[in-house]
Amino acid sequence: MTPEQTVARIDELGTRARILPVITIPRDADVLPLADALAAGGLRTLEVTLRGPHGLGAIRQLRAQRPGLCVGVGTVLDPQTWAQAVDAGAQFIVTPGCTEELLRLGLDSPVPLLPGVANASDIMLAYRFGYRRFKLFPASVCGGAEALRAFSGPFADARFCPTGGVGPGNLKDYLALDNVMCVGGSWMLPADALAHGDWARVERLSAEALRLVDEARSG
Ligand code: 3PG
């Protein structure tokens, strides 16, 4: 994908999604109920991480059985994993940081890359390849909303999806910024709800999160 195509595609995904749930699948049997609970709460664009053994299988299953969802992959650290994720059907790629190798790969990829950045140097590296849309990670550690406000000076055409420590308590700080296109995180998937298969709670937290985002955007 050219940098322009990547920007256009990520903008489309981010604008529609508003929130990107970051999902680590606990058990194979949880894939569909978990995704269905998020979708019932209004979250239909998902980042499935490859942090456990179930990630790739989950992407494959969701693409086959839930065609209405937009399924991306997270925690892509190297070209091999990238290829496996695209083969499984991932519709976008998220990396926690950026390396020249992965940024280059994104330019030849059929699916768009949302590279992770944590500071001005990361952004400058990705700029050289034409990237203008980024995941700020881990957002709460690398400066949060203050960092994004500062980035809007030197990187006026960059937009971000802050992720890491984002939740109901600080959503509005992020969404008040013009350079935030959406926010990401796992707060709607608390560990105890997943452990007990409490899908109603996941649905409730998802709907509540979207409501907060829409309030922030309209206020
Ligand atoms: C990620 O990988 O993007 C983060 O682990 C999600 O952050 P959170 O769990 O703090 O929401």
Side-chain angles (χ1 to χ4, degrees):
M1 253 185 202
T2 65
E4 294 74 20
Q5 288 169 331
T6 298
V7 167
R9 188 75 190 108
I10 295 289
D11 275 350
E12 195 181 306
L13 293 175
T15 306
R16 198 179 47 215
R18 284 115 76 216
I19 298 175
L20 201 55
V22 177
I23 306 165
T24 300
I25 301 286
R27 293 172 295 255
D28 278 333
D30 292 333
V31 174
L32 294 179
L34 188 157
D36 288 344
L38 291 168
L43 302 180
R44 298 188 184 86
T45 301
L46 319 179
E47 177 188 331
V48 178
T49 71
L50 300 182
R51 287 179 206 171
H54 309 293
L56 284 175
I59 293 169
R60 220 177 272 287
Q61 194 180 357
L62 290 170
R63 294 289 283 124
Q65 297 185 38
R66 293 296 182 270
L69 299 179
C70 179
V71 183
V73 60
T75 331
V76 172
L77 307 181
D78 55 62
Q80 294 71 24
T81 316
W82 183 309
Q84 288 169 341
V86 171
D87 185 60
Q91 292 162 290
F92 60 96
I93 311 269
V94 186
T95 57
C98 53
T99 64
E100 285 207 26
E101 185 183 41
L102 293 179
L103 292 168
R104 228 179 269 290
L105 200 56
L107 303 179
D108 289 328
S109 171
V111 295
L113 168 64
L114 182 67
V117 294
N119 55 46
S121 302
D122 291 344
I123 301 172
M124 287 167 68
L125 170 65
Y127 255 50
R128 276 181 27 219
F129 292 87
Y131 291 91
R132 293 294 183 273
R133 301 294 180 261
F134 306 104
K135 159 171 166 155
L136 180 74
F137 180 76
S140 61
V141 177
C142 57
E146 282 307 313
L148 291 173
R149 191 171 291 114
F151 289 153
S152 69
F155 309 111
D157 55 349
R159 294 181 78 211
F160 298 86
C161 173
T163 308
V166 177
N170 58 13
L171 268 180
K172 290 189 178 180
D173 299 337
Y174 286 111
L175 291 161
L177 301 171
D178 288 341
N179 61 354
V180 169
M181 59 179 167
C182 60
V183 294
S186 64
W187 75 92
M188 71 299 289
L189 297 162
D192 57 331
L194 301 193
H196 298 110
D198 188 352
W199 308 124
R201 184 162 167 225
V202 171
E203 177 182 340
R204 211 167 44 244
L205 289 170
S206 302
E208 170 71 9
L210 266 186
R211 195 180 57 71
L212 285 175
V213 168
D214 290 341
E215 255 176 44
R217 286 289 194 215
S218 64

